[in-house]
């Protein structure tokens, strides 16, 4: 029997100092929620393009008649992202210029994504071997997805002044909604009947007939080019010095003084900079009990979300592809609702408390799914695949990022570990999900959700989220 996980009395060792008003509740920032959300949407807008082309390729894999090639294609994307994320986090942590590193990483990823979007399908168009190149596309898209997500989330976290948990939840929630929008567009483009009504006849040939995979990939690739170019422009414009998610009400003279003091401290830090072994930082970050609980709960919550997504696909399968459009719109609306609700829940219950409530809600939804019929299916699917995933995406990133800040560790490593764990749940599901008996998915997801809720409940007593004085805000002696 495996030993039970016991957390020590203090998962985070820090002094019990009274939090400053700027660290806990910045009153000057309460009235500027709209501007902060717009800044987050601008920073993470590039997630839409990669999510869209990834959804198109995944949809084509699901329609592949050969089981072996279909399973390889669906597994290639999360496996590539899972393998490359720790390396990318290490490279960003070792880079001398943080902003320049994430800008170069995001730009290079979008260039590769453009190649996948246009060049690879066109190379195999003449011989009609697009199905053979789809696994290669998935592999390259996995690298692009990992690089873009990590770069933009690091930039998003860097925009948040003092890394407050509520603001981080807003930022990461907006990032998830942007990616969900791109996924919805990609699925709609992949399901559209291209060429069956006589349009786009210029893309047809003897080997690429109307409605075939090569024709759909070519049309969807051309339609996705503007979004890819927009994401590339947004990645090139990443610069934390031009946009801040907090309005300054100080006078110009005070602002100049603060800037001069900030520049002075930066110069002093550059002079006293010490090269630290990134592997030791990664080891210390993983040894944190709170981070361990967050990563394990992320893995369990990811499996539960995939079980819910599969159950929603089972519900929607008899209705056909044309009736899925209202369900996708409802799911997107619930995602926006979750993005607006998540910061308020974190402010009320804390990160682990909100996580526990979301896990118990997921378990209840999965347990009642076998008896869900009629009109309630749409609401069940929208809640399970639209509202709750926002929490399970944002909360792990908030917890690990704040713990990395509290210990002075690179946030890029923490976010890379979190994203890799989320991709690891996809790897487990794609590798073993098809061998599970029919009807076992909801029960498996419910067990994983309860397990994650138990871990979060044990971590609540050690979590003082909202009162952490992070290393970046600790006043110097």
């Amino acid at each position: 029997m495996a030993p039970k996980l016991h957390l020590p009395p203090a998962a985070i060792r820090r002094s019990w100092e009274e939090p400053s008003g700027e660290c806990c509740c910045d009153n000057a920032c309460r009235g500027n929620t709209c501007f902060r959300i717009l800044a987050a949407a601008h920073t993470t807008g590039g997630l839409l393009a990669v999510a869209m082309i990834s959804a198109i390729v995944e949809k084509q894999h699901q329609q592949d008649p050969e089981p072996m090639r279909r399973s390889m294609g669906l597994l290639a994307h999360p496996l590539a992202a899972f393998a490359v994320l720790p390396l990318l986090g290490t490279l960003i942590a070792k880079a001398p210029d943080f902003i320049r590193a994430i800008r170069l990483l995001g730009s290079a990823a979008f260039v590769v994504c453009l190649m996948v979007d246009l060049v690879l399908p066109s190379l195999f168009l003449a011989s009609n071997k697009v199905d053979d190149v789809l696994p290669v596309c998935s592999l390259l898209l996995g690298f692009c997805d990992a690089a873009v997500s990590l770069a933009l989330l690091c930039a998003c976290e860097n925009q948040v002044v003092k890394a407050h948990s509520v603001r981080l939840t807003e930022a990461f929630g907006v990032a998830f909604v942007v990616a969900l929008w791109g996924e919805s567009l990609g699925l709609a483009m992949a399901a559209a009947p291209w060429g069956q009504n006589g349009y786009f006849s210029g893309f047809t040939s003897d080997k690429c007939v109307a409605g075939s995979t090569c024709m759909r990939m070519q049309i969807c690739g051309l339609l996705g080019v503007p979004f890819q170019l927009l994401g590339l422009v947004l990645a090139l414009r990443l610069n934390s010095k031009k946009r801040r998610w907090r309005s300054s009400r100080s006078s110009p003279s005070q602002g100049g003084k603060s800037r001069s003091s900030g520049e002075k401290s930066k110069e002093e830090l550059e002079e006293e900079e010490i090269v630290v072994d990134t592997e030791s930082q990664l080891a210390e970050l993983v040894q944190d009990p709170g981070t361990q609980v967050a990563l394990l709960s992320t893995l369990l919550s990811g499996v539960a979300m995939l079980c819910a997504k599969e159950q929603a696909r089972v519900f929607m399968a008899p209705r056909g592809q044309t009736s899925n459009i209202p369900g996708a719109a409802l799911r997107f609306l619930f995602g926006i609702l979750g993005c607006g609700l998540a910061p308020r829940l974190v402010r009320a219950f804390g990160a682990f408390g909100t996580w526990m409530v979301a896990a118990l809600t997921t378990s209840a939804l999965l347990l009642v799914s076998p008896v869900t019929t009629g009109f309630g299916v749409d609401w069940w699917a929208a809640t399970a695949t639209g509202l709750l995933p926002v929490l399970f995406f944002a909360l792990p990133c908030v917890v690990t990022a704040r713990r990395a800040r509290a210990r002075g560790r690179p946030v890029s490593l923490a976010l890379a570990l979190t994203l890799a764990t989320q991709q690891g749940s996809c790897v487990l599901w794609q590798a073993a999900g098809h061998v599970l008996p029919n009807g076992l998915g909801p029960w498996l997801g419910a067990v994983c959700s309860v397990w994650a809720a138990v871990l979060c409940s044990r971590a609540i007593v050690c979590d003082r989220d909202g009162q952490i004085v992070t290393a970046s805000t600790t006043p110097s002696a």
Side-chain angles (χ1 to χ4, degrees):
M1 182 176 181
K4 295 182 179 179
L5 178 62
H6 296 285
L7 290 176
I12 298 179
R13 295 180 177 87
R14 55 183 177 272
S15 60
W16 284 92
E17 300 178 357
E18 289 295 330
S20 62
E22 291 182 348
C23 181
C24 184
C25 300
D26 188 2
N27 295 326
C29 201
R30 289 182 178 177
N32 299 320
T33 303
C34 180
F35 294 102
R36 295 200 304 273
I37 291 177
L38 288 176
H42 178 272
T43 303
T44 60
L47 293 174
L48 185 148
V50 179
M52 182 178 64
I53 186 63
S54 300
I56 293 172
V57 175
E58 181 181 357
K59 186 69 174 180
Q60 299 300 330
H61 280 303
Q62 294 175 355
Q63 298 175 354
D64 199 319
E66 298 185 11
M68 181 63 67
R69 190 169 57 188
R70 181 172 62 249
S71 60
M72 289 179 57
L74 292 175
L75 184 61
H77 186 283
L79 187 60
F82 174 78
V84 79
L85 273 168
L87 177 61
L88 295 179
T90 304
L91 292 177
I92 294 178
K94 290 184 177 181
D97 190 347
F98 176 77
I99 296 298
R100 184 179 181 183
I102 61 176
R103 187 188 297 123
L104 291 177
L105 181 62
S107 304
F110 274 113
V111 171
V112 177
C113 193
L114 274 170
M115 182 187 69
V116 174
D117 199 5
L118 286 177
V119 179
L120 285 180
S122 300
L123 290 177
F124 289 83
L125 183 61
S127 57
N128 196 18
K129 292 184 178 179
V130 180
D131 293 335
D132 297 333
V133 81
L134 281 178
V136 181
C137 293
S138 296
L139 189 67
L140 294 177
L141 284 175
F143 294 128
C144 297
D145 192 5
V148 171
S149 300
L150 181 60
L152 294 183
L153 288 186
C154 287
C156 209
E157 191 274 340
N158 191 58
Q159 296 289 337
V160 180
V161 180
K162 297 184 184 300
H164 187 252
S165 57
V166 176
R167 301 177 195 170
L168 283 174
T169 307
E170 290 177 352
F172 295 142
V174 171
F176 179 84
V177 171
V178 170
L180 181 61
W181 185 15
E183 181 182 353
S184 302
L185 288 177
L187 292 177
M189 292 170 62
W194 303 111
Q196 297 182 5
N197 296 326
Y199 301 104
F200 304 100
S201 58
F203 294 94
T204 59
S205 62
D206 296 337
K207 296 181 179 180
C208 186
V209 297
S212 61
T213 303
C214 61
M215 181 179 181
R216 288 197 301 269
M217 287 297 297
Q218 193 176 20
I219 296 176
C220 293
L222 291 176
L223 293 177
V225 167
F227 296 95
Q228 301 286 347
L229 294 177
L230 178 61
L232 179 60
V233 171
L234 292 178
L236 290 172
R237 294 187 70 250
L238 288 177
N239 190 348
S240 63
K241 296 181 180 179
K242 293 182 180 179
R243 298 183 307 275
R244 284 290 181 182
W245 291 8
R246 189 181 75 178
S247 62
S248 177
R249 298 187 178 182
S250 59
S251 60
S253 60
Q254 293 177 351
K257 292 180 181 179
S258 63
R259 284 193 297 270
S260 62
S261 60
E263 293 175 358
K264 181 178 179 181
S265 61
K266 183 179 179 180
E267 292 175 357
E268 292 175 356
L269 290 176
E270 289 177 354
E271 292 176 357
E272 299 175 0
E273 182 179 3
I274 300 175
V275 179
V276 183
D277 187 9
T278 309
E279 295 182 359
S280 64
Q281 291 180 343
L282 183 61
E284 292 177 4
L285 187 63
V286 175
Q287 289 174 0
D288 173 27
T291 304
Q292 292 177 1
V293 172
L295 294 178
L296 182 56
S297 301
T298 301
L299 184 66
L300 296 172
S301 302
V303 174
M305 283 293 95
L306 290 172
C307 293
K309 189 176 181 180
E310 182 65 25
Q311 190 69 8
R313 187 180 295 112
V314 172
F315 285 153
M316 297 301 176
R319 301 187 178 187
Q321 297 180 351
T322 56
S323 59
N324 286 341
I325 297 178
L330 188 63
R331 176 192 177 194
F332 182 68
L333 291 178
F334 269 59
I336 297 177
L337 176 63
C339 179
L341 188 63
R344 290 165 175 79
L345 292 176
V346 171
R347 184 181 289 111
F349 303 110
F352 278 121
T354 305
W355 201 341
M356 183 185 68
V357 173
L360 292 177
T361 305
T362 304
S363 176
L365 286 174
L366 288 170
L367 290 177
V368 302
S369 63
V371 297
T372 304
T373 57
F375 184 71
V377 170
D378 294 330
W379 295 96
W380 184 96
T383 304
T385 62
L387 191 149
L388 293 174
V390 178
L391 301 176
F392 290 132
F393 177 84
L395 294 177
C397 297
V398 170
V399 172
T400 55
R402 285 188 60 81
R403 275 160 172 72
R405 285 282 189 186
R407 285 163 176 77
R409 299 294 176 249
V411 180
S412 60
L413 287 177
L415 291 177
L417 285 177
T418 307
L419 294 176
T421 306
Q422 292 175 352
Q423 294 294 334
S425 62
C426 297
V427 172
L428 292 177
W429 179 257
Q430 296 297 342
H434 62 280
V435 300
L436 296 177
N438 295 330
L440 185 61
W443 302 100
L444 176 63
V447 170
C448 292
S449 298
V450 172
W451 191 356
V454 170
L455 293 177
C456 292
S457 66
R458 293 180 179 178
I460 288 176
V461 295
C462 305
D463 182 56
R464 302 294 189 273
D465 205 28
Q467 297 184 1
I468 299 178
V469 181
T470 59
S472 60
T473 61
T474 304
S476 60

